Amino acid sequence: MTTDDLWGKVLYAGASADRPLAALEYLAGLVALEPDRFAGVGAKNAEMPNGGWYGVTHTQDGTVVELGMVMSKVRELLKRGEFDAEGCFQAWKQREWLDTDQKRLDKKMMVAGVRTRCLTFSRKALSQVAGYDLGNLRVVHDVEDDAG
């Protein structure tokens, strides 16, 4: 899948009738398009990219298996994509698409060695991402490919 294909999917996600799913697809597209904005789990001294970290990804064998995004960045990105952040958060929680701390929407995660509140997507959420299936998306040296 080319970068142009991914951008097309990101833009198409904005038109979906299921806005919470479209917002998740939008964010997943950003993971694929800007992998260096996400710290790897255990990366303690990684150099922060311009504009800051979007979050953290946990990969196994080059495949994304967990995604946590910094809450302030999620709000900013959803606003840029013209999504209702609070509405998405509530829908994601009802659909059990978030792994959270008790009585919260987010949970504490380490992002490049700093404990940060992140919106952490469950495996159930990642499996819902049409066309991206982060479980099969491999990020290798800033180039994405489908693991098949």
Side-chain angles (χ1 to χ4, degrees), residues 2-119:
T2 69
T3 301
D4 288 340
D5 292 336
L6 284 170
W7 271 120
K9 286 187 177 225
V10 168
L11 295 174
Y12 174 76
S16 173
D18 184 344
R19 297 298 286 165
L21 177 59
L24 181 60
E25 290 175 337
Y26 174 76
L27 295 175
L30 294 174
V31 174
L33 289 167
E34 301 185 59
D36 40 340
R37 298 293 302 265
F38 294 85
V41 168
K44 294 183 180 179
N45 297 317
E47 186 175 333
M48 183 183 304
N50 289 335
W53 295 108
Y54 283 171
V56 62
T57 57
H58 180 196
T59 60
Q60 292 177 338
D61 299 322
T63 300
V64 177
V65 295
E66 182 179 28
L67 171 63
M69 297 185 72
V70 177
M71 281 297 285
S72 60
K73 292 294 182 183
V74 173
R75 289 179 195 283
E76 176 185 317
L77 292 167
L78 291 177
K79 182 177 181 180
R80 185 180 349 159
E82 299 182 3
F83 293 97
D84 170 23
E86 296 305 319
C88 288
F89 297 161
Q90 292 306 317
W92 292 341
K93 185 175 181 176
Q94 288 175 342
R95 295 176 187 190
E96 299 176 346
W97 288 2
L98 301 175
D99 289 332
T100 65
D101 285 341
Q102 192 172 28
K103 297 184 181 182
R104 297 189 62 102
L105 287 173
D106 56 9
K107 77 177 192 178
K108 290 182 182 178
M109 295 187 77
M110 295 297 283
V111 179
V114 178
R115 188 166 297 283
T116 307
R117 287 243 163 238
C118 291
L119 200 66

